[in-house]
């Protein structure tokens, strides 16, 4: 994937194919193992889709109540430093990330926040990087951290509290990355700027 040979979806398909070939080479290709693999795959996919469906339903609820729009309007109307407005927007994304999936958040908030960010003089590419980092932070923090619930569904013998504790170092690392990219915007912009030269 990092070499550009596959997209993530294609990489997953290639991984499945190679696992299947490996199973045949090891002599473990039989009816019992195939039924087990298919059953476990169906359980994992079903659990993941139930979480995503629930997040989409909740996202639709938030869209109907116009709560993200109200939060965005509140942030843009603050008569303070542009960095305070930016911090409020990041806080909104972190809070929404705890309850909504990334796609619903993007669809609801980007049309509102991006004009505000551009109007404040921030680079939209830089804001996109920050936005992804903040959303990822929300996806691994309680109470809803979707990624942690997906992991709990896959690793059934590991308690959810343990998964959230295990995600804590990653949450701290993402938080530090957000601060670094905020203080040093060129960390996010140097590569895109190479294409504009």
């Amino acid at each position: 994937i990092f070499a550009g040979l596959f997209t993530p979806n294609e990489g997953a398909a290639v991984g499945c194919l190679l696992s299947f070939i490996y199973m045949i080479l090891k002599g473990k290709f039989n009816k019992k193992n195939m039924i087990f693999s298919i059953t476990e795959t169906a359980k994992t996919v079903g659990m993941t889709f139930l979480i995503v469906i629930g997040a989409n339903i909740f996202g639709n609820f938030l869209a109907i109540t116009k709560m993200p729009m109200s939060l965005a309007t509140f942030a843009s109307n603050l008569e303070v430093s542009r960095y305070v407005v930016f911090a409020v927007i990041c806080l909104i994304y972190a809070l929404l990330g705890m309850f909504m999936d990334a796609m619903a958040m993007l669809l609801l908030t980007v049309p509102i926040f991006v004009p505000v960010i551009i109007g404040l003089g921030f680079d939209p590419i830089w804001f996109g990087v920050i936005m992804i980092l903040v959303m990822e932070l929300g996806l691994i923090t309680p109470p809803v951290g979707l990624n942690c619930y997906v992991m709990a569904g896959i690793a059934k013998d590991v308690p959810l509290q343990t998964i959230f504790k295990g995600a804590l170092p990653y949450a701290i690392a993402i938080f530090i990355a957000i601060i670094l990219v905020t203080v040093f915007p060129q960390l996010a912009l140097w590569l895109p700027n190479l294409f504009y030269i």
Side-chain angles (χ1 to χ4, degrees), residues 58 94-100 137-149 160 164:
F58 189 66
L95 292 173
L96 290 176
M98 294 180 188
F99 302 101
M100 298 173 67
L137 180 64
L139 287 170
I140 60 171
T141 51
V144 180
L146 288 176
N147 289 353
C148 292
Y149 279 99
L160 187 60
F164 275 118

Side-chain angles (χ1 to χ4, degrees), residues 78-185:
L78 291 174
E79 295 182 4
V80 290
S81 163
R82 69 183 191 144
Y83 288 100
V84 174
V85 175
F86 168 72
V88 170
I89 291 172
C90 285
L91 181 63
I92 290 169
Y93 270 117
L95 292 173
L96 290 176
M98 294 180 188
F99 302 101
M100 298 173 67
D101 69 304
M103 189 57 67
M105 255 192 299
L106 289 172
L107 292 172
L108 289 172
T109 59
V110 166
I112 299 157
F113 283 144
V114 169
V116 172
I117 286 296
I118 293 172
L120 291 172
F122 291 114
D123 189 287
I125 296 173
W126 168 82
F127 177 67
V129 172
I130 293 284
M131 187 172 56
I132 297 299
L133 286 170
V134 174
M135 284 191 294
E136 288 302 318
L137 180 64
L139 287 170
I140 60 171
T141 51
V144 180
L146 288 176
N147 289 353
C148 292
Y149 279 99
V150 170
M151 186 59 67
I154 294 169
K156 294 178 178 61
D157 56 330
V158 181
L160 187 60
Q161 295 86 351
T162 305
I163 292 172
F164 275 118
K165 284 179 187 174
L168 183 61
Y170 297 99
I172 293 169
I174 292 173
F175 184 72
I176 291 169
I178 291 167
I179 292 172
L180 287 173
V181 173
T182 302
V183 175
F184 305 106

